[in-house]
Amino acid sequence: MLNVPSQAFPAPGSQQRAASGGRSKVPLKQGRSLMDWIRLTKSGKDLTGLKGRLIEVTEEELIKHNKKDDCWVCIRGLVYNVSPYMEYHPGGEDELMRAAGSDGTDLFDQVHRWVNYESMLKECLVGRMAVKPVAVAKGYKNHEKKLLNGILLKSQVSDLPAKEISPSYDWFQTESLVTIVIYTKQKDMDSESVIVDYQDGSFRAEIIIKDYSYLLHTELSHEIQEDITVRVAEKTGKVEIVLKKKDNISWKYLGHPLENHNSFTAHRDTGLYYRKCQLISKVDVTHDTKLYCLMLPPGTHLQVPIGQHVYLRQTVAGTEIVKPYTPVLDSLNLDLQEPLHPHNRYIYFMIKIYHTGLFTPHFDCLQIGDCVSLSSPEGNFKKSQLQELEELFLLAAGTGFTPMVKILNYALTNITSLRKVKLMFFNKTEGDILWRNQLEQLADKEKRFEVEFILSEPTSEWTGKQGRISLALLSGFVKRSLENSRVLVCICGPEPFTEQGIRLLKDLNFSKEEVHSFTA
Ligand code: FAD
Ligand code: NAP
């Protein structure tokens, strides 16, 4: 049973109130929280005005519903009457009205493509857009079909930067193995760019190539064992996915194509794919934050790149709630750090539990062995930003420390040019500092690393620095030691903290390229 008071919910800065990305936040009226919306959708009230009927909507019809009290929006071909949702929209009514009477898919994707609108708005569904007959243009050829080892269609390519970079695939077999080979034609591919899932006979491989995804999605013709091997030849961009046959029989074809099989599309257009992960352990980090270990299912190959996050999804009161989280390591102990090897099935999260929050109290109720859905990774941090770096400054507030964990580890173990890494860590009290002992031990052992804790609500015994992020604090700490040093400043925390930090860094003459901020 959920017991979430509605008065001040969602709190300022809450992900439910406003996502990151510089969009304006609006205070929601009392009784207009997400929980209140969920209650309304379950009340049986007719929210579309169509008494449960679904209709086919023409463009002409859609356009007519463009007022606040009669507002229809189309997302991915489905039309919703969003008028009842207006007052509950965390981004405000005006933001929602930008899509009134039109196709809001692009706008929606720009702002929060990870939000599960199908679940949130299911009671507002009016129907489907009517499909217009498409005139066949002169000279238009039917989809070129090419049979590859028996079954498969040529890439369905959309929005391609250049046709010639479109990947292709082939497969071959031995008595016990099936090897799928993907020719990406891209240099510097690594195993992080390959995400493979095998579940109930369905095989899905997503190869991330810059901002694009090449997808293989097929129902395999025969069963395989769950341990899948991925090999990437970095120089040629050749990806090999090796499947172990369950029965050593000869396959006549690879499988039956499933949705979007053999397609190459902009990454933002491929929906987030989720797989169920098991909770393996949870360990206290502070009074309100824990380290959770999730295990990927055996048929999954997935590595979350440094600086990227995933979405965790659970059903709360019948509605799917999705929140982003940034994986960390199991500790900061560099000696014990295993090389980030591709077969690691454990993913660690450091998550703060907000007792009045929507997602985290439920997440914390999971028992060891329970499952939660985990998406493929997202994020715009690139490892290459650390290449040849000489000085790295990390500014973190609260759980904004999470992306810094892997960055810190990677920088100290891989970047030979690095002279200095400095972490400035803002928290309310001493008890809130995450991995304080580990950070202090690391600073003792690793001369290139320095950490400074700043408290906004210190006790009288605190002898360290105090306050909130300010020019005075930053100017003494975020200082290049040489005029032409190759520098990167990473910043993460509550959105206003991050925004303030970016402004201050600009005042301190750091260029845009020298500052990376983490947002959703
Ligand atoms: P919400 O419902 O969003 O509530 C959050 C705040 O609102 C809390 O202060 C809560 O106390 C307050 N609140 C809720 N209800 C009420 C009420 N009725 N009255 C007053 N106040 C109320 N977090 C992590 O811990 N670890 C991570 O690794 C991490 N990574 C992230 C990565 C990205 C890219 C982003 C954008 C965020 C990340 N977060 C991370 C934050 C995370 O996504 C969630 O926002 C956070 O866990 C809170 O979710 P929630 O649903 O439990 O709380
Ligand atoms: P918190 O404990 O509430 O605050 C941590 C520190 O930040 C405190 O010292 C606090 O000072 C300060 N702070 C808060 N708001 C500020 C503001 N407006 N200006 C300057 N300083 C401010 O933090 P938390 O609860 O752990 O929250 C962490 C935040 O980081 C969440 O919003 C989460 O979404 C975000 N996060 C983002 C990512 C990402 O990748 N984008 C990853 C992880 C976490 P006061 O005591 O004065 O408030």
Side-chain angles (χ1 to χ4, degrees), residues 151-167:
I151 55 155
L152 298 155
L153 295 175
K154 176 112 175 126
S155 290
Q156 301 144 5
V157 176
S158 75
D159 259 359
L160 252 186
K163 182 97 177 162
E164 57 276 15
I165 75 149
S166 171

Side-chain angles (χ1 to χ4, degrees), residues 308-417:
Q308 295 204 8
H309 54 269
V310 295
Y311 297 94
L312 296 181
R313 186 176 76 186
Q314 322 175 82
T315 304
V316 176
T319 296
E320 280 182 348
I321 305 291
V322 176
K323 292 278 165 123
Y325 294 96
T326 314
V328 294
L329 299 166
D330 58 346
S331 79
L332 276 177
N333 189 341
L334 302 186
D335 295 340
L336 293 179
Q337 222 47 254
E338 283 180 53
L340 296 170
H341 70 91
H343 306 301
N344 197 347
R345 286 173 53 206
Y346 298 111
I347 305 188
Y348 291 87
F349 293 94
M350 200 183 265
I351 298 184
K352 173 167 167 176
I353 309 302
Y354 298 88
H355 292 296
T356 46
L358 193 65
F359 186 91
T360 48
H362 293 270
F363 183 71
D364 195 39
C365 282
L366 290 179
Q367 302 296 311
I368 304 303
D370 285 351
C371 286
V372 63
S373 296
L374 176 143
S375 78
S376 301
E378 281 214 329
N380 52 13
F381 186 83
K382 303 241 162 22
K383 229 189 266 175
S384 57
Q385 288 173 261
L386 297 169
Q387 255 161 32
E388 289 163 37
L389 208 63
E390 290 167 288
E391 295 180 73
L392 174 64
F393 298 97
L394 308 172
L395 307 177
T399 55
F401 172 59
T402 52
M404 311 305 178
V405 171
K406 281 193 187 179
I407 292 179
L408 181 57
N409 173 68
Y410 182 83
L412 288 174
T413 47
N414 287 280
I415 309 295
T416 46
S417 53

